[in-house]
Short mmCIF file of all heavy atoms in Angstrom, two decimals:
data_model
loop_
_atom_site.label_atom_id
_atom_site.label_comp_id
_atom_site.label_asym_id
_atom_site.label_seq_id
_atom_site.Cartn_x
_atom_site.Cartn_y
_atom_site.Cartn_z
N GLN B 1 -26.22 -34.14 -101.20
CA GLN B 1 -25.85 -33.26 -102.29
C GLN B 1 -27.06 -32.96 -103.15
O GLN B 1 -27.72 -33.86 -103.66
CB GLN B 1 -24.77 -33.93 -103.14
CG GLN B 1 -24.30 -33.12 -104.33
CD GLN B 1 -23.34 -33.90 -105.21
OE1 GLN B 1 -23.01 -35.06 -104.93
NE2 GLN B 1 -22.88 -33.28 -106.28
N VAL B 2 -27.35 -31.68 -103.30
CA VAL B 2 -28.50 -31.28 -104.11
C VAL B 2 -28.18 -31.52 -105.58
O VAL B 2 -27.15 -31.07 -106.09
CB VAL B 2 -28.80 -29.79 -103.87
CG1 VAL B 2 -29.97 -29.36 -104.75
CG2 VAL B 2 -29.11 -29.54 -102.41
N GLN B 3 -29.08 -32.22 -106.26
CA GLN B 3 -28.77 -32.64 -107.62
C GLN B 3 -30.03 -32.83 -108.44
O GLN B 3 -31.06 -33.27 -107.93
CB GLN B 3 -27.98 -33.95 -107.59
CG GLN B 3 -27.29 -34.32 -108.89
CD GLN B 3 -26.40 -35.54 -108.73
OE1 GLN B 3 -26.39 -36.21 -107.69
NE2 GLN B 3 -25.62 -35.84 -109.75
N LEU B 4 -29.93 -32.47 -109.72
CA LEU B 4 -30.96 -32.75 -110.71
C LEU B 4 -30.30 -33.47 -111.87
O LEU B 4 -29.28 -33.00 -112.37
CB LEU B 4 -31.61 -31.46 -111.19
CG LEU B 4 -32.37 -30.63 -110.15
CD1 LEU B 4 -32.76 -29.27 -110.72
CD2 LEU B 4 -33.59 -31.37 -109.66
N VAL B 5 -30.90 -34.57 -112.29
CA VAL B 5 -30.32 -35.35 -113.39
C VAL B 5 -31.40 -35.62 -114.43
O VAL B 5 -32.36 -36.34 -114.16
CB VAL B 5 -29.73 -36.68 -112.89
CG1 VAL B 5 -29.17 -37.48 -114.07
CG2 VAL B 5 -28.64 -36.42 -111.85
N GLU B 6 -31.20 -35.04 -115.62
CA GLU B 6 -32.15 -35.24 -116.71
C GLU B 6 -31.81 -36.49 -117.51
O GLU B 6 -30.66 -36.92 -117.57
CB GLU B 6 -32.14 -34.04 -117.68
CG GLU B 6 -32.49 -32.70 -117.08
CD GLU B 6 -31.26 -31.91 -116.67
OE1 GLU B 6 -30.20 -32.55 -116.45
OE2 GLU B 6 -31.34 -30.68 -116.55
N SER B 21 -37.24 -36.84 -118.42
CA SER B 21 -37.36 -37.00 -116.97
C SER B 21 -36.24 -36.23 -116.27
O SER B 21 -35.18 -35.99 -116.86
CB SER B 21 -37.24 -38.48 -116.57
OG SER B 21 -38.27 -39.24 -117.16
N CYS B 22 -36.51 -35.85 -115.05
CA CYS B 22 -35.52 -35.13 -114.23
C CYS B 22 -35.63 -35.69 -112.81
O CYS B 22 -36.63 -35.47 -112.14
CB CYS B 22 -35.80 -33.64 -114.26
SG CYS B 22 -34.87 -32.67 -113.06
N ALA B 23 -34.60 -36.41 -112.39
CA ALA B 23 -34.58 -37.00 -111.05
C ALA B 23 -33.91 -36.05 -110.07
O ALA B 23 -32.79 -35.58 -110.31
CB ALA B 23 -33.84 -38.33 -111.09
N ALA B 24 -34.61 -35.77 -108.98
CA ALA B 24 -34.12 -34.82 -107.99
C ALA B 24 -33.64 -35.55 -106.73
O ALA B 24 -34.21 -36.58 -106.35
CB ALA B 24 -35.21 -33.83 -107.62
N SER B 25 -32.62 -35.00 -106.09
CA SER B 25 -32.14 -35.57 -104.84
C SER B 25 -31.49 -34.47 -104.02
O SER B 25 -31.06 -33.44 -104.55
CB SER B 25 -31.15 -36.70 -105.10
OG SER B 25 -30.04 -36.23 -105.85
N PHE B 27 -32.82 -32.53 -101.68
CA PHE B 27 -33.71 -31.48 -101.15
C PHE B 27 -35.13 -32.02 -101.14
O PHE B 27 -35.41 -33.07 -101.75
CB PHE B 27 -33.61 -30.19 -101.97
CG PHE B 27 -34.10 -30.29 -103.40
CD1 PHE B 27 -35.38 -29.87 -103.75
CD2 PHE B 27 -33.28 -30.80 -104.39
CE1 PHE B 27 -35.82 -29.95 -105.05
CE2 PHE B 27 -33.71 -30.89 -105.70
CZ PHE B 27 -34.98 -30.48 -106.04
N PHE B 29 -38.10 -32.27 -102.63
CA PHE B 29 -38.61 -32.02 -104.00
C PHE B 29 -40.05 -31.53 -103.96
O PHE B 29 -40.42 -30.60 -104.69
CB PHE B 29 -38.50 -33.31 -104.80
CG PHE B 29 -39.02 -33.23 -106.20
CD1 PHE B 29 -38.34 -32.55 -107.19
CD2 PHE B 29 -40.21 -33.87 -106.55
CE1 PHE B 29 -38.82 -32.48 -108.50
CE2 PHE B 29 -40.71 -33.82 -107.83
CZ PHE B 29 -40.01 -33.13 -108.80
N MET B 34 -40.91 -26.33 -110.03
CA MET B 34 -39.86 -26.83 -110.90
C MET B 34 -40.10 -26.35 -112.33
O MET B 34 -41.25 -26.17 -112.75
CB MET B 34 -39.82 -28.35 -110.88
CG MET B 34 -39.44 -28.96 -109.53
SD MET B 34 -37.75 -28.61 -109.02
CE MET B 34 -36.82 -29.44 -110.31
N HIS B 35 -39.01 -26.19 -113.07
CA HIS B 35 -39.07 -25.61 -114.40
C HIS B 35 -38.33 -26.46 -115.42
O HIS B 35 -37.41 -27.21 -115.06
CB HIS B 35 -38.41 -24.23 -114.41
CG HIS B 35 -39.03 -23.23 -113.49
ND1 HIS B 35 -39.86 -22.21 -113.94
CD2 HIS B 35 -38.95 -23.08 -112.15
CE1 HIS B 35 -40.24 -21.49 -112.92
NE2 HIS B 35 -39.71 -21.99 -111.81
N ASN B 77 -39.83 -38.25 -106.65
CA ASN B 77 -38.90 -37.10 -106.77
C ASN B 77 -38.49 -36.87 -108.22
O ASN B 77 -37.30 -36.65 -108.53
CB ASN B 77 -37.65 -37.31 -105.91
CG ASN B 77 -37.94 -37.20 -104.43
OD1 ASN B 77 -38.97 -36.69 -104.01
ND2 ASN B 77 -37.03 -37.70 -103.61
N LEU B 79 -39.47 -35.06 -112.11
CA LEU B 79 -40.15 -34.10 -112.96
C LEU B 79 -40.15 -34.65 -114.39
O LEU B 79 -39.19 -35.31 -114.80
CB LEU B 79 -39.41 -32.77 -112.91
CG LEU B 79 -39.87 -31.64 -113.82
CD1 LEU B 79 -41.20 -31.06 -113.32
CD2 LEU B 79 -38.80 -30.55 -113.90
N TYR B 95 -32.95 -28.31 -119.94
CA TYR B 95 -32.53 -28.33 -118.54
C TYR B 95 -33.76 -28.33 -117.63
O TYR B 95 -34.73 -27.62 -117.90
CB TYR B 95 -31.73 -27.08 -118.20
CG TYR B 95 -30.43 -26.89 -118.93
CD1 TYR B 95 -30.33 -26.02 -120.02
CD2 TYR B 95 -29.27 -27.53 -118.50
CE1 TYR B 95 -29.12 -25.82 -120.67
CE2 TYR B 95 -28.06 -27.33 -119.15
CZ TYR B 95 -28.00 -26.48 -120.23
OH TYR B 95 -26.80 -26.28 -120.87
N CYS B 96 -33.69 -29.09 -116.56
CA CYS B 96 -34.66 -28.88 -115.49
C CYS B 96 -33.99 -27.99 -114.44
O CYS B 96 -32.76 -27.99 -114.30
CB CYS B 96 -35.15 -30.18 -114.88
SG CYS B 96 -33.89 -31.20 -114.10
N ALA B 97 -34.80 -27.23 -113.75
CA ALA B 97 -34.27 -26.28 -112.78
C ALA B 97 -35.24 -26.12 -111.62
O ALA B 97 -36.46 -26.20 -111.80
CB ALA B 97 -34.01 -24.93 -113.44
N LYS B 98 -34.70 -25.85 -110.45
CA LYS B 98 -35.48 -25.72 -109.22
C LYS B 98 -35.70 -24.25 -108.89
O LYS B 98 -34.76 -23.44 -108.96
CB LYS B 98 -34.72 -26.42 -108.08
CG LYS B 98 -35.24 -26.13 -106.67
CD LYS B 98 -34.31 -26.72 -105.65
CE LYS B 98 -34.63 -26.20 -104.25
NZ LYS B 98 -34.24 -24.78 -104.11
N GLY B 99 -36.91 -23.91 -108.52
CA GLY B 99 -37.17 -22.58 -108.02
C GLY B 99 -36.49 -22.37 -106.68
O GLY B 99 -36.41 -23.29 -105.86
N ASP B 109 -32.17 -21.86 -108.66
CA ASP B 109 -30.90 -21.98 -107.95
C ASP B 109 -30.17 -23.29 -108.21
O ASP B 109 -28.98 -23.40 -107.93
CB ASP B 109 -31.08 -21.75 -106.45
CG ASP B 109 -32.00 -22.77 -105.79
OD1 ASP B 109 -32.73 -23.48 -106.51
OD2 ASP B 109 -31.98 -22.85 -104.54
N ILE B 110 -30.87 -24.29 -108.70
CA ILE B 110 -30.24 -25.56 -109.01
C ILE B 110 -30.65 -25.97 -110.43
O ILE B 110 -31.83 -25.89 -110.77
CB ILE B 110 -30.67 -26.67 -108.03
CG1 ILE B 110 -30.33 -26.26 -106.59
CG2 ILE B 110 -29.99 -28.00 -108.39
CD1 ILE B 110 -28.86 -26.08 -106.30
N TRP B 111 -29.67 -26.38 -111.23
CA TRP B 111 -29.91 -26.80 -112.60
C TRP B 111 -29.35 -28.20 -112.81
O TRP B 111 -28.33 -28.57 -112.23
CB TRP B 111 -29.21 -25.86 -113.58
CG TRP B 111 -29.70 -24.45 -113.60
CD1 TRP B 111 -29.63 -23.52 -112.58
CD2 TRP B 111 -30.33 -23.78 -114.70
NE1 TRP B 111 -30.18 -22.33 -112.99
CE2 TRP B 111 -30.60 -22.45 -114.28
CE3 TRP B 111 -30.68 -24.16 -115.99
CZ2 TRP B 111 -31.23 -21.51 -115.12
CZ3 TRP B 111 -31.29 -23.23 -116.82
CH2 TRP B 111 -31.55 -21.93 -116.40
N GLY B 112 -30.02 -28.95 -113.67
CA GLY B 112 -29.45 -30.21 -114.10
C GLY B 112 -28.38 -29.98 -115.15
O GLY B 112 -28.12 -28.84 -115.56
N GLN B 113 -27.79 -31.06 -115.61
CA GLN B 113 -26.70 -30.96 -116.59
C GLN B 113 -27.24 -30.85 -118.02
O GLN B 113 -26.48 -30.53 -118.93
CB GLN B 113 -25.76 -32.17 -116.48
CG GLN B 113 -26.18 -33.42 -117.25
CD GLN B 113 -27.38 -34.15 -116.66
OE1 GLN B 113 -27.84 -33.82 -115.57
NE2 GLN B 113 -27.86 -35.16 -117.37
N GLY B 114 -28.53 -31.11 -118.19
CA GLY B 114 -29.15 -30.98 -119.50
C GLY B 114 -29.18 -32.29 -120.28
O GLY B 114 -28.35 -33.17 -120.09
#
Side-chain angles (χ1 to χ4, degrees):
Chain B
Q1 179 186 359
V2 179
Q3 195 173 8
L4 297 170
V5 178
E6 301 95 337
S21 299
C22 169
S25 59
F27 65 98
F29 178 73
M34 295 294 297
H35 301 256
N77 289 343
L79 175 73
Y95 297 100
C96 62
K98 167 187 168 289
D109 62 344
I110 303 297
W111 296 65
Q113 85 288 352

